Amino acid sequence: MSQNRANSHRPRGAVVRAPVAATPAAFVRAIALAYTRAGRDVRPALAATGIDPSVLHTPGAHLTSLPFERLAMHAMRELDDEALGWFSRRLPWGSYGMLARASLTAPHLGLALARWCRHHGLLTDDVHLTLEQRNDVATLVLHERRMPGSDFANLADRTTVREFAHVSLLRNALGLAAWLIDARLTLLALDLAYAAPPHAEAYTWLFPGAQVRFGQTETQIRFAAHVLHEPVRRDDAALRAMLPQAVRLMVRPYRHDRLLVERARAWLRAHPQADAAALAHGLQVSVRTLQRQLAAAGTRLQTLKDEVRCDTAVALLLRTRWPLKRIATLAGFDNEKSFIRAFRTWTGQTPAAFRRGGAEAQQRHPT
């Protein structure tokens, strides 16, 4: 791989499917550094979210997106900092939700993104975001006034935090933009103001379709400008439903769903054992339409069921003392054995070990 190009061999617009474990462990280390900055121990948070601490010391390690999403959300709440230590001052819990709400009333995406950039400047002076348009190309530019992570003495730590901040800021803006119009953005090119990291290939999944160049003078991403004229399709009710899972917009590329995937998840939470026919009936669509729209969104029914079952099981394991048999039933499993086997596949731990880790974390750092 070239130092300056991560994916120049791919044709523009090529679809890249993420491997099962696609999130670089370097991003977990960046969150661990946020705990260090706050004078806290990250290990209870790792235990509470099902992440093996060994990933912090394993070069080239990756993990699946779901435990990373849980860790990021846990850290934002526990540290009361949605920027996770990037900036000279915290961004208290709810800051990015406030930005989303301010953008929601815009008539079209161009104004919504412009508001996002302008209002982000009210939260911190460390970075400044601008939206530019020239002909048919729009560019979101990240201007550094104070380098994220610059207060760390170790160069490797500064590099780790800076990369995580740049990636997260771009993913936040792009994820919200796609959510607002319920459509993917056509990414064209990504310039990054730092050298290619060992996990540079992950960028082909984080920013699908973009030609990636490292070692540039400024971090910026270019995308097709026609989406700026798209109307904002979400309302306040949709925003309230999205915010509890907002980290997903930062971690995963947006899946076009016209709300169907969100509706399917909500229905499956109430009916975890539903098959395709029952879910289609509940959503008032045909089975063929359901399958076609799930495929267009880049997912399938079993994937959605696994995500909902895992989220349900994690919540019940951490919040209740209920026996595993009862949790297995509520998560949609016929028996405890199949539940334990699936949970180990999702998290790398048995339900009992996961619960013990969460209980120990609560004892050390009660919230």
Side-chain angles (χ1 to χ4, degrees):
M1 182 189 303
S2 165
Q3 174 73 5
N4 290 331
R5 281 190 176 272
N7 58 351
S8 58
H9 59 282
R10 289 191 300 110
R12 179 172 294 174
V15 176
V16 177
R17 290 194 177 274
V20 173
T23 303
F27 294 170
V28 177
R29 289 193 287 275
I31 294 179
L33 288 169
Y35 275 83
T36 299
R37 190 173 188 251
R40 304 284 294 270
D41 183 356
V42 73
R43 287 174 295 180
L46 296 176
T49 54
I51 296 177
D52 189 333
S54 67
V55 302
L56 296 173
H57 313 290
T58 307
H62 290 72
L63 66 160
T64 56
S65 59
L66 187 59
F68 180 77
E69 290 170 21
R70 291 199 297 260
L71 175 64
M73 183 71 77
H74 183 100
M76 288 176 184
R77 287 182 177 273
E78 189 170 49
L79 301 179
D80 194 23
D81 183 8
E82 292 192 343
L84 294 173
W86 310 330
F87 304 137
S88 52
R89 66 181 184 186
R90 291 183 301 104
L91 298 193
W93 177 256
S95 296
Y96 281 108
M98 180 181 65
L99 294 189
R101 194 171 299 280
S103 300
L104 191 65
T105 57
H108 54 77
L109 180 61
L111 181 56
L113 267 181
R115 285 182 182 175
W116 172 271
C117 294
R118 184 171 65 253
H119 293 150
H120 196 280
L122 301 177
L123 299 180
T124 179
D125 293 327
D126 292 5
V127 300
H128 179 53
L129 295 162
T130 59
L131 179 65
E132 304 168 2
Q133 181 179 351
R134 178 173 297 180
N135 298 325
D136 59 350
V137 176
T139 306
L140 184 66
V141 187
L142 193 162
H143 311 270
E144 283 185 330
R145 294 173 175 171
R146 174 187 176 276
M147 186 182 298
S150 59
D151 52 342
F152 285 96
N154 182 279
L155 175 61
D157 293 345
R158 292 200 301 271
T159 300
T160 296
V161 173
R162 187 188 187 207
E163 181 200 0
F164 184 48
H166 281 224
V167 169
S168 299
L169 286 167
L170 292 183
R171 288 291 316 136
N172 278 342
L174 295 173
L176 178 72
W179 178 83
L180 285 170
I181 63 173
D182 191 22
R184 283 180 181 266
L185 278 63
T186 302
L187 303 184
L188 304 175
L190 172 64
D191 290 348
L192 295 153
Y194 47 82
H199 48 269
E201 281 298 326
Y203 283 73
T204 64
W205 174 67
L206 289 167
F207 301 95
Q211 296 293 319
V212 181
R213 299 189 304 172
F214 293 93
Q216 304 303 299
T217 57
E218 208 163 35
T219 289
Q220 57 182 356
I221 188 158
R222 293 185 287 281
F223 55 94
H226 67 84
V227 295
L228 298 180
H229 304 290
E230 287 289 317
V232 171
R233 296 186 171 92
R234 306 291 187 167
D235 57 18
D236 192 65
L239 178 65
R240 290 196 302 271
M242 179 273 286
L243 286 177
Q245 290 84 38
V247 171
R248 186 165 290 163
L249 296 181
M250 179 183 79
V251 177
R252 308 185 194 185
Y254 185 76
R255 288 177 173 174
H256 170 67
D257 60 24
R258 294 291 176 190
L259 302 179
L260 181 128
V261 173
E262 294 175 19
R263 290 170 54 216
R265 282 196 182 97
W267 206 88
L268 287 170
R269 279 193 288 271
H271 309 85
Q273 293 182 314
D275 57 13
L279 176 59
H281 180 76
L283 298 181
Q284 298 182 332
V285 298
S286 68
V287 172
R288 178 173 294 182
T289 296
L290 172 67
Q291 292 172 336
R292 184 176 66 251
Q293 292 195 29
L294 289 179
T299 190
R300 56 194 181 92
L301 177 57
Q302 189 59 51
T303 300
L304 287 183
K305 290 178 72 171
D306 286 346
E307 290 176 353
V308 170
R309 287 176 169 185
C310 185
D311 287 345
T312 299
V314 165
L316 293 176
L317 286 168
L318 295 179
R319 297 173 186 172
T320 75
R321 296 285 185 179
W322 294 344
L324 294 186
K325 184 176 181 180
R326 182 178 182 184
I327 292 176
T329 299
L330 292 173
F333 289 88
D334 293 330
N335 58 73
E336 185 177 338
K337 185 177 180 179
S338 60
F339 166 59
I340 293 173
R341 184 169 57 249
F343 194 86
R344 186 191 290 273
T345 299
W346 297 330
T347 68
Q349 296 182 336
T350 65
F354 183 89
R355 171 178 267 171
R356 283 196 302 271
E360 290 172 1
Q362 288 294 321
Q363 291 171 4
R364 294 171 186 165
H365 295 280
T367 55

